[in-house]
Amino acid sequence: MAIFNFGKKKGEEKKVSACSCSCSCPTNETEEIINDCCPGAKEGTCCIKVLGAGCKSCHEQYENVKQAVKDMGLSIEVEYITDMQKVMEYGVMSMPALVVNEKVAAMGKVLKSNDVITLLHKLGF
């Protein structure tokens, strides 16, 4: 394990799949996601994650996001991440947070399902 990048060769970087559907999408960039790889990719969304501490507010956010995805007719699985190590990797300091395609879209406020739908529409979905 390389701590603070010690022990890593210059130019070596960890490749992380952007997709939560276990189809091994090649990159974190939405533009490069192969449209046939996962059901949500055709709509431009491959991953939606709710980051939280497992509290009532964070769980409410998760339920609201699932409802919004259902209401929009998207076939995307919504992940609920409570592992603080993974949450910190996104640089989120206030929860709950909403991550769309590996980018933080909202944090620190519980969004109602209508607010999530509005946010996703603003993001072009």
Side-chain angles (χ1 to χ4, degrees):
M1 180 167 110
I3 300 174
F4 303 111
N5 290 331
F6 295 126
K8 278 188 165 182
K9 295 178 183 175
K10 189 173 184 173
E12 177 184 345
E13 74 180 51
K14 182 180 177 186
K15 298 286 182 188
V16 180
S17 174
C19 192
S20 63
C21 68
S22 303
C23 66
S24 301
C25 291
T27 74
N28 287 347
E29 298 300 320
T30 307
E31 296 82 27
E32 296 180 31
I33 293 174
I34 301 168
N35 283 339
D36 294 330
C37 96
C38 61
K42 290 182 181 171
E43 289 86 19
T45 305
C46 200
C47 314
I48 296 179
K49 299 176 185 177
V50 174
L51 311 178
C55 64
K56 182 181 176 184
S57 295
C58 296
H59 187 71
E60 182 181 349
Q61 176 74 22
Y62 173 62
E63 293 300 323
N64 291 345
V65 172
K66 284 195 325 185
Q67 185 62 48
V69 167
K70 181 180 175 184
D71 291 348
M72 291 178 74
L74 300 174
S75 57
I76 301 168
E77 183 179 340
V78 179
E79 280 188 74
Y80 184 29
I81 298 176
T82 58
D83 181 352
M84 285 300 122
Q85 178 83 24
K86 291 180 181 179
V87 170
M88 295 305 289
E89 289 174 8
Y90 288 96
V92 171
M93 299 304 283
S94 59
M95 292 176 269
L98 179 62
V99 175
V100 179
N101 289 340
E102 297 301 314
K103 294 181 180 159
V104 178
M107 69 175 141
K109 182 179 176 185
V110 178
L111 301 174
K112 303 284 187 212
S113 61
N114 288 337
D115 296 331
V116 174
I117 291 170
T118 302
L119 177 65
L120 291 174
H121 283 303
K122 283 182 182 178
L123 293 172
F125 307 109

